[in-house]
Each structure stands twice: as C-alpha cells, then as structure tokens.
Amino acid sequence: MLFKYMKLMPESEDLQDYLKESKVVNYSHPLIKEVAKKLFNNEQTDIEKVKVAFQFVRDEVSHSWDIQGTRVTCTADDVLKHKEGICYAKSNLLAAFLRGEGVPTGFCYQRLMIFDTPDKGYSLHTLNGVFLNSLNRWVRIDARGNKLGVQAEFSLDEEKLAFSVQEDFDEKDYPTIYTQPNDKTIATLQANTNAIVMYKHHLPEYL
C-alpha cells in the first residue's frame, strides 16, 4: 500500500522525549485521568487509542473561533474542563491523553493564512504527530475540529488534515515533530485574556 504522507522528521530519536509530562501537557491531573479511564482500556491497540483520543478532542472540545468563545485555555486540564480552546490548546489536551497512555506524541506546525486572503495575515497552526509502535512509524493528526470546509479524519492511508497548505500563497508545512509545544504559542495563550481578539491580532506567524 502506498502511504501518502509528508516525510516527517522527529526532533528527537528518543521516544521517551515524546512521553514526558509538563505544565501544559499535565496528564497526571485528576480530571485528565478521570476522562482517560472512560476513553481507554487495556484491550485497545495503540491505533485504537489514538483514534478514540483524536475523535474526542476533535468533536467534544470546541474550537474557540467556531463558537466565538472569548475564554482562553492553555493547559490540558483547563481545555478539558471548559471543553474549548484554539488549536494550540487542543493539541496540548490530545498530547496529554496519549502520553498518559504511553503513546509517543509530539507537536507539528503549519504556517497558514488566518482567514482567506494573504492581506489578512498569517499564523502558526498546531497539530500533533503520534508514533504508532504497531506500525513503526509516525503519523500526523489534526484535532482542530471540523466545520463547513474543514474535515480532518484519523487515517492511516493518507493524511486527512484540517487544512491543505497552499504554497502559492506562501503557506508552509513544517516536517519536524517537536517534543514540546512551541514557546511562542504557549506564551500567546498565557498573555491573552480574550480568545477572539487573540485569534484576530496576536497569533505568532513563524516558529
């Protein structure tokens, strides 16, 4: 079978680096553990765990812009508590669920137009990379949340991400799978108090 994936480049060759807990990927938090017990069981394969976690974060946690929510969330437990966040925040939650289950999970980025034309600006978009031991390879998944014109799916045959990069418009797909979320994205979440204003005017454009 031909797999239609970008050639991905892990930042670290040590998979343990993709399992570490942090202040924002805080999978030991009681709320994360409580929901994880409902999502996962010992009979599931790593592929099944990734699919379940991906679909939960994609479908049960709203993207702030889609619901025009002003709340800014950042840490995995806060995203789960309020069930909303932008892609930077939702990727923290997905990483927390999967790292807590022993699935190596990293952070990937795209530079995209914020809206529909270059003159309206660009921003970084965050998605996740996961290592499937059963297949011995990395795959990217994007739990941003589906809406009209956006249909991200869990797929092992070809990437079905939220956005297709338009290189003619100076958009960029970064191949690196980072062990931790980008400092600029986390600093942005921590520095802002209104998600709509943040989304329109304060998202970082470059790594």
Side-chain angles (χ1 to χ4, degrees), residues 53-87:
F54 163 75
Q55 291 179 338
F56 179 88
V57 177
R58 183 193 65 184
D59 299 340
E60 301 301 325
V61 179
S62 299
H63 190 286
S64 303
W65 180 259
D66 295 350
I67 61 171
Q68 291 294 286
T70 59
R71 184 189 302 275
V72 179
T73 56
C74 179
T75 61
D77 67 291
D78 204 37
V79 179
L80 183 57
K81 176 182 177 181
H82 297 291
K83 295 287 186 72
E84 64 181 282
I86 68 167
C87 59

Side-chain angles (χ1 to χ4, degrees), residues 1-8 54 58 110 127-128 130 132 135 137-142 151-164 173:
M1 181 179 293
L2 177 63
F3 297 108
K4 299 178 181 178
Y5 278 89
M6 166 184 274
K7 182 175 176 56
L8 302 175
F54 163 75
R58 183 193 65 184
Q110 296 172 327
L127 53 155
N128 294 98
V130 296
L132 298 171
L135 300 179
R137 66 184 174 96
W138 288 93
V139 299
R140 292 193 302 178
I141 50 177
D142 191 342
Q151 190 68 35
E153 302 290 348
F154 176 76
S155 173
L156 298 177
D157 300 328
E158 60 180 319
E159 286 190 330
K160 296 183 179 180
L161 305 178
F163 304 105
S164 297
D173 210 349

Side-chain angles (χ1 to χ4, degrees), residues 62-204:
S62 299
H63 190 286
S64 303
W65 180 259
D66 295 350
I67 61 171
Q68 291 294 286
T70 59
R71 184 189 302 275
V72 179
T73 56
C74 179
T75 61
D77 67 291
D78 204 37
V79 179
L80 183 57
K81 176 182 177 181
H82 297 291
K83 295 287 186 72
E84 64 181 282
I86 68 167
C87 59
Y88 304 165
K90 294 186 69 171
S91 63
N92 289 339
L93 177 58
L94 184 53
F97 275 140
L98 293 177
R99 288 187 180 192
E101 290 298 305
V103 178
T105 305
F107 297 84
C108 303
Y109 296 92
Q110 296 172 327
R111 178 183 184 262
L112 304 172
M113 291 182 288
I114 297 177
F115 297 108
D116 54 352
T117 57
D119 60 287
K120 295 177 182 176
Y122 294 80
S123 70
L124 286 178
H125 172 62
T126 307
L127 53 155
N128 294 98
V130 296
F131 185 80
L132 298 171
N133 279 295
S134 58
L135 300 179
N136 193 37
R137 66 184 174 96
W138 288 93
V139 299
R140 292 193 302 178
I141 50 177
D142 191 342
R144 176 236 178 262
N146 290 341
K147 61 176 183 176
L148 184 64
V150 175
Q151 190 68 35
E153 302 290 348
F154 176 76
S155 173
L156 298 177
D157 300 328
E158 60 180 319
E159 286 190 330
K160 296 183 179 180
L161 305 178
F163 304 105
S164 297
V165 169
Q166 303 177 80
E167 294 182 351
D168 290 346
F169 289 96
D170 206 24
E171 294 186 334
K172 184 174 178 61
D173 210 349
Y174 297 97
T176 303
I177 305 170
Y178 294 93
T179 60
Q180 297 297 330
N182 182 270
D183 288 342
K184 292 180 183 178
T185 64
I186 300 304
T188 297
L189 296 176
Q190 293 173 338
N192 284 273
T193 57
N194 184 304
I196 299 302
V197 174
M198 175 182 69
Y199 194 84
K200 287 181 176 179
H201 304 294
H202 301 302
L203 299 182

